[in-house]
Amino acid sequence: MRVLVTGGAGFIGSHIVTALLSGGHEPVVLDALLPTAHAVPPPRPAAEWVHADVRDAAAVADALHGVDAVCHQAAMVGLGKDFADAPAYVGCNDLGTAVLLAAMAEAGVADLVLAGSMVVYGEGRYDCARHGRVAPGPRLPDDLAAGRFEPRCPRCGDALAPGLVAEEAPADPRNVYATTKLTQEHLAASWARATGGRAVSLRYHNVYGPGMPRDTPYAGVASFFRSALARGEAPRVFEDGGQRRDFVHVRDVAAANVHALAAVGQRPPGSFRAYNTGSGTPHTVGEMAAALAAACGGPAPVVTGEYRLGDVRHITAASVRLREEFGWLPEVAFAAGVTEFARAAQRPVPLPEPRGAAHAP
């Protein structure tokens, strides 16, 4: 199978390219290789390369020649610095996706695997002992400033029990990045209905592993911790460290993409379906920081009580649908994955990143 991988030089994209090559497929990498994302040109695998931005309609059209399916990874990722980043996020994630889908429609390429994100859910699943399943609203700045980090029942104010969120949960994006990821899914669904295409979105949970970027405000929390330890500094853990996340290894995510690419062509024409992509085993942010510090032999984490508006408290995945329908199973255990990540090189990213930087995850 010949597969166009947008953002194929990025963190997740490069692992997908490696997995495709190992499976005997023919990946075509399209990546802008922007200096803001690639301070050092990445090593190139034995794959065809197109050096172009996903928003370049002519370049995308050329790259689609002879392609059987598209694996769309190009995106600007993370929570960002502040709302001034909004135009960059929308330009890269949503305009880029629209340009790609229009070119796919013109070229008659019918199969798409999209890099989705768990951030579309907002807060995860919560249950109240008195009122059952509830959906808490955004946490209030006054509560966060006072160290009241746990969402409360919106009906009675009691404590809530977090659980695993399934794909049927309503979307509730809480920041600009989350909004653009949900928009990508809406665009993909619209494209599928209009063209008879088939689209799936793999809603990644907290992906970590070798090749994560370092020293950038646009990376995930595991990268923040690893970057600090590489500088000989203690990881700074926001809130109280009790935030629950599903940390899934990047090789497992790459394997999920390969499974999805093999199966998407069996989906009904005009269809869109989302799949949680997580390990299924929650860990707290504090646990990740402590495990990384121990594996690196570095200073112990410091719990700061700081917070970021737009962050959610708990979001963990139920990835049963992906396992049952595509036959995917995560293979990298948390302890082994963290130990490997602690010893692996990170991608250098120059600071500061200018406004408007759009790059692959």
Side-chain angles (χ1 to χ4, degrees), residues 291-303:
L292 264 178
C296 288
V302 175
V303 178

Side-chain angles (χ1 to χ4, degrees), residues 28-80:
V28 178
V29 176
L30 185 146
D31 201 295
L33 294 180
L34 297 178
T36 50
H38 299 280
V40 177
R44 298 192 176 189
E48 183 178 338
W49 279 70
V50 179
H51 186 181
D53 195 297
V54 74
R55 292 165 289 189
D56 182 338
V60 172
D62 287 343
L64 285 168
H65 288 159
V67 162
D68 301 302
V70 173
C71 186
H72 183 31
Q73 304 296 312
M76 185 173 177
V77 300
L79 186 58

Side-chain angles (χ1 to χ4, degrees), residues 5-343:
V5 184
T6 70
F11 166 47
I12 298 174
S14 61
H15 283 274
I16 293 171
V17 170
T18 298
L20 286 168
L21 288 168
S22 297
H25 300 290
E26 183 183 354
V28 178
V29 176
L30 185 146
D31 201 295
L33 294 180
L34 297 178
T36 50
H38 299 280
V40 177
R44 298 192 176 189
E48 183 178 338
W49 279 70
V50 179
H51 186 181
D53 195 297
V54 74
R55 292 165 289 189
D56 182 338
V60 172
D62 287 343
L64 285 168
H65 288 159
V67 162
D68 301 302
V70 173
C71 186
H72 183 31
Q73 304 296 312
M76 185 173 177
V77 300
L79 186 58
K81 297 178 181 178
D82 52 45
F83 201 84
D85 284 325
Y89 276 104
V90 173
C92 182
N93 297 358
D94 298 337
L95 176 59
T97 299
V99 170
L100 172 67
L101 293 173
M104 290 176 66
E106 181 68 22
V109 179
D111 294 339
L112 172 70
V113 174
L114 172 68
S117 176
M118 53 83 179
V119 296
V120 301
Y121 298 116
E123 287 286 351
R125 168 184 160 179
Y126 290 91
D127 292 289
C128 173
R130 287 199 281 173
H131 296 109
R133 187 71 45 80
V134 296
R139 296 182 295 170
L140 301 177
D142 287 348
D143 287 338
L144 294 171
R148 296 187 293 269
F149 301 122
E150 293 288 346
R152 313 292 291 189
C153 177
R155 297 179 62 183
C156 67
D158 283 356
L160 298 173
L164 302 181
V165 63
E167 292 87 351
E168 293 80 10
D172 185 18
R174 300 288 176 91
N175 55 60
V176 171
Y177 171 61
T179 301
T180 65
K181 296 306 289 183
L182 182 59
T183 300
Q184 284 185 309
E185 291 194 348
H186 288 322
L187 287 167
S190 297
W191 163 83
R193 287 191 297 270
T195 66
R198 296 169 289 258
V200 301
S201 176
L202 301 182
R203 291 176 174 170
Y204 302 159
H205 282 246
N206 286 70
V207 187
Y208 75 99
M212 285 194 87
R214 74 171 187 234
D215 297 324
T216 169
Y218 298 96
V221 66
S223 178
F224 296 165
F225 296 155
R226 179 70 176 80
S227 296
L229 289 161
R231 298 189 301 268
E233 301 171 2
R236 295 176 62 83
V237 180
F238 280 17
E239 300 186 17
D240 59 1
Q243 309 93 302
R244 286 162 53 95
R245 296 291 187 267
D246 187 322
F247 295 99
V248 58
H249 195 276
V250 66
R251 285 198 300 274
D252 285 332
V253 170
N257 276 271
V258 175
H259 278 73
L261 286 162
V264 64
Q266 306 304 312
R267 299 281 307 151
S271 65
F272 171 86
R273 191 158 171 81
Y275 296 83
N276 284 336
T277 307
S279 71
T281 305
H283 291 275
T284 68
V285 170
E287 287 172 341
M288 169 56 88
L292 264 178
C296 288
V302 175
V303 178
T304 70
E306 297 172 89
Y307 60 88
R308 298 192 302 177
L309 292 177
D311 270 345
V312 298
R313 179 63 176 175
H314 304 298
I315 176 68
T316 52
S319 299
V320 176
R321 177 184 291 180
L322 181 59
R323 300 181 188 207
E324 291 181 347
E325 295 187 14
F326 290 173
W328 169 82
L329 286 172
E331 297 182 353
V332 183
F334 179 77
V338 169
T339 298
E340 178 194 22
F341 179 43
R343 299 168 181 169

